[in-house]
């Protein structure tokens, strides 16, 4: 086990996955959720614990238990077969794995609230839209829209034909962040150094080619409450207020939908100046979901 920022990293978080956790010491306060955070592509679970931009720090300050697995192929988590490295395949795997997570970490909590960013957001949506045996009480999605730029499909497919693709840090600084002044000096370098990773090529191609075809069906299956935020200047998606509104409308069967644009932010909202406000909104949503369970 090791510490990065606030969380403790372990090679055995749940269901054979490595990851991070923070749990309150002693008995838990009433009406708390268990928050499970699912990272996006090219980052490990350390995405949620970069000093100066840590969701774990915000959760700990509010006494909210939080766990974040390393997805398949990241850190010490084993790689799934190629056909299961897609959004839907990873969703099926994690949905089963979350039964183990609930048994290990859920005692005293009202239920699980999923937080998913980018590819992790699409995976969280896929989990929420299928039957599950653990108590899912809410889903918070970010960094995922309905459409990607048309040229991205061929661009991602042209990546080297290897299982794991390394994205240069310089490119990540461009596509993951908004304009200068919207984030702290050094954050692109610090976030990549602490949480950056190679990514399975299958999932990078799948999110730009398959997601926009299946997203409407996935989203309309979700019945839990949904919190949705999208960065205003996201270079990986076709985004804007219309896209945010269309995404919210696609969640037609959700118990309720709280959707909004995060102005002054790029793709990785957590790493921008608005990141603390964004994270507190997500955690407040999780607390509200738990309180509503009764």
């Amino acid at each position: 086990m090791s510490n990065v920022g606030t969380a403790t990293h372990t090679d055995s978080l749940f269901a054979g996955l490595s990851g991070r956790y923070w749990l309150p010491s002693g008995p838990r306060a009433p009406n708390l959720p268990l928050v499970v955070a699912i990272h996006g592509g090219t980052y490990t679970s350390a995405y949620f614990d970069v000093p100066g931009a840590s969701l774990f720090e915000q959760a700990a300050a509010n006494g909210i238990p939080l766990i974040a697995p390393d997805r398949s192929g990241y850190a010490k988590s084993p790689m799934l077969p190629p056909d299961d490295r897609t959004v839907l395949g990873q969703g099926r795997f994690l949905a089963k794995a979350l039964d183990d997570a609930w048994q290990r970490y859920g005692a005293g909590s009202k239920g699980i609230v999923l937080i998913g960013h980018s590819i992790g957001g699409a995976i969280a949506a896929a989990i929420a839209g299928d039957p599950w045996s653990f108590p899912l009480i809410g889903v918070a999605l970010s960094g995922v829209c309905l459409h990607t730029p048309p040229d991205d499909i061929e661009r991602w497919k042209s990546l080297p034909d290897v299982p794991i693709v390394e994205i240069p840090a310089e490119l990540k600084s461009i596509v993951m962040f908004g304009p200068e002044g919207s984030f702290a000096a050094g954050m692109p370098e610090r976030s990549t150094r602490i949480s950056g990773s190679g990514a399975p090529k299958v999932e990078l191609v799948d999110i730009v080619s398959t997601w926009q075809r299946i997203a409407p069906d996935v989203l309309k299956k979700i019945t839990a409450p949904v919190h949705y935020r999208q960065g205003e200047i996201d270079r990986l998606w076709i985004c804007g207020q219309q896209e945010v509104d269309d995404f919210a409308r696609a969640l037609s069967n959700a118990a309720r939908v709280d959707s909004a644009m995060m102005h002054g932010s790029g793709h990785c909202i957590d790493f921008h100046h608005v990141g603390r406000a964004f994270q507190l909104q997500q955690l407040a949503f999780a607390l509200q979901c738990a309180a509503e369970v009764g």
Side-chain angles (χ1 to χ4, degrees):
M1 295 185 182
S2 61
N3 287 1
V4 176
T6 302
T8 298
H9 183 266
T10 175
D11 290 345
S12 182
L13 184 66
F14 63 83
L17 300 174
S18 61
R20 288 167 168 77
Y21 67 91
W22 182 88
L23 302 173
S25 59
R28 295 185 187 178
N31 297 320
L32 283 179
L34 172 64
V35 177
V36 179
I38 305 175
H39 64 84
T42 77
Y43 293 98
T44 68
S45 62
Y47 176 92
F48 298 107
D49 201 26
V50 173
S54 174
L55 178 67
F56 272 100
E57 181 180 346
Q58 304 299 339
N62 289 279
I64 302 171
L66 171 62
I67 60 176
D70 295 308
R71 292 194 289 103
S72 166
Y74 289 88
K76 296 297 182 66
S77 293
M79 185 79 83
L80 292 173
D83 289 348
D84 291 330
R85 296 174 200 166
T86 62
V87 167
L88 294 182
Q90 293 192 64
R92 288 189 295 268
F93 170 78
L94 278 175
K96 295 178 182 177
L98 285 172
D99 285 327
D100 184 27
W102 178 247
Q103 293 300 317
R104 291 196 192 194
Y105 305 104
S109 300
K110 290 291 187 176
I112 288 177
V113 173
L114 295 177
I115 288 180
H117 170 70
S118 192
I119 294 176
I123 293 169
I127 293 170
D130 278 342
W132 20 261
S133 56
F134 56 89
L136 179 67
I137 58 175
V139 190
L141 310 174
S142 67
V144 58
C145 291
L146 295 175
H147 303 100
T148 54
D151 293 343
D152 279 5
I153 297 176
E154 293 305 317
R155 185 178 296 117
W156 288 116
K157 284 184 176 179
S158 68
L159 290 170
D161 189 18
V162 293
I164 300 293
V165 174
E166 298 288 342
I167 305 298
E170 297 79 10
L171 177 59
K172 289 181 71 172
S173 295
I174 294 172
V175 300
M176 302 296 187
F177 285 82
E180 290 291 334
S182 64
F183 51 87
M187 182 55 77
E189 296 77 15
R190 183 162 70 252
S191 59
T192 295
R193 183 179 69 254
I194 293 172
S195 64
S197 171
K201 180 180 177 180
V202 170
E203 72 174 35
L204 297 179
V205 174
D206 186 62
I207 193 67
V208 298
S209 59
T210 305
W211 170 251
Q212 54 195 337
R213 174 174 55 81
I214 66 173
D217 286 336
V218 170
L219 297 177
K220 75 178 181 182
K221 292 179 182 177
I222 298 175
T223 58
V226 178
H227 182 277
Y228 174 58
R229 295 292 184 268
Q230 179 58 34
E232 178 186 19
I233 308 159
D234 192 321
R235 308 182 201 282
L236 293 178
W237 296 94
I238 297 174
C239 62
Q241 190 59 54
Q242 184 63 51
E243 286 287 313
V244 171
D245 293 343
D246 288 347
F247 194 99
R249 277 191 287 269
L251 293 158
S252 55
N253 291 306
R256 68 172 187 279
V257 179
D258 177 355
S259 67
M261 183 84 75
M262 293 300 295
H263 296 285
S265 175
H267 181 70
C268 293
I269 304 172
D270 300 77
F271 298 153
H272 291 72
H273 291 314
V274 299
R276 183 168 183 270
F278 163 66
Q279 292 170 347
L280 289 173
Q281 289 174 22
Q282 290 184 314
L283 293 174
F285 167 77
L287 287 172
Q288 182 180 354
C289 290
E292 290 173 348
V293 172

